[in-house]
Amino acid sequence: MEEELDSLEKPISHLKKNSKQRFAHLDKRISNEESRENLIQSNPIYLSDVLYLFDFAFKSLSTIRGTLFNISFNFQEPSYIYELEKIAELIEKEKSIKKDQKEVI
């Protein structure tokens, strides 16, 4: 598990950087769209990495729980259909908003 966690250093770092600058502190250095795009380009967050992080967290916590409390747990690969549908809806909504904004200009 430690080796697997080490291999996740890059996506975790990207998540932290995006979260810290874009959401937690609303960093003034990224107040315009170009600077936000630069942040995203230099610290990309891929859906596959996020899903892998969720799976790793679930497996890790299940292993710890099993070790501490002697509870066996069969890990079952989760299905992310609902989450993927919600992400697709948000992408479509954002595209629609951007299109409407361009038409107004």
Side-chain angles (χ1 to χ4, degrees):
M1 286 175 51
E2 187 175 346
E3 288 175 13
E4 192 172 358
L5 182 60
D6 288 343
S7 74
L8 296 170
E9 182 180 345
K10 191 173 184 178
I12 290 172
S13 170
H14 289 183
L15 279 170
K16 284 181 179 179
K17 187 146 186 149
N18 272 279
S19 173
K20 183 178 179 183
Q21 291 187 349
R22 291 179 64 205
F23 306 116
H25 303 294
L26 296 174
D27 198 323
K28 288 182 177 39
R29 291 174 292 166
I30 59 158
S31 59
N32 63 40
E33 186 145 349
E34 182 181 339
S35 54
R36 280 192 299 272
E37 276 300 313
N38 289 337
L39 174 67
I40 293 167
Q41 294 298 324
S42 61
N43 298 282
I45 300 171
Y46 300 104
L47 180 59
S48 59
D49 291 336
V50 173
L51 296 177
Y52 191 80
L53 287 167
F54 281 132
D55 289 344
F56 177 75
F58 186 76
K59 286 189 282 188
S60 300
L61 293 172
S62 298
T63 301
I64 292 167
R65 179 179 160 202
T67 303
L68 290 176
F69 303 109
N70 199 22
I71 300 170
S72 65
F73 185 83
N74 295 328
F75 178 74
Q76 184 177 11
E77 288 293 323
S79 169
Y80 294 103
I81 299 301
Y82 174 78
E83 289 83 356
L84 293 172
E85 288 173 349
K86 287 296 180 189
I87 290 169
E89 286 176 20
L90 291 171
I91 290 170
E92 289 302 316
K93 185 177 180 180
E94 186 174 325
K95 284 181 183 178
S96 175
I97 290 170
K98 285 184 178 182
K99 181 181 176 188
D100 292 344
Q101 289 174 342
K102 285 181 182 178
E103 289 176 359
V104 170
I105 296 174

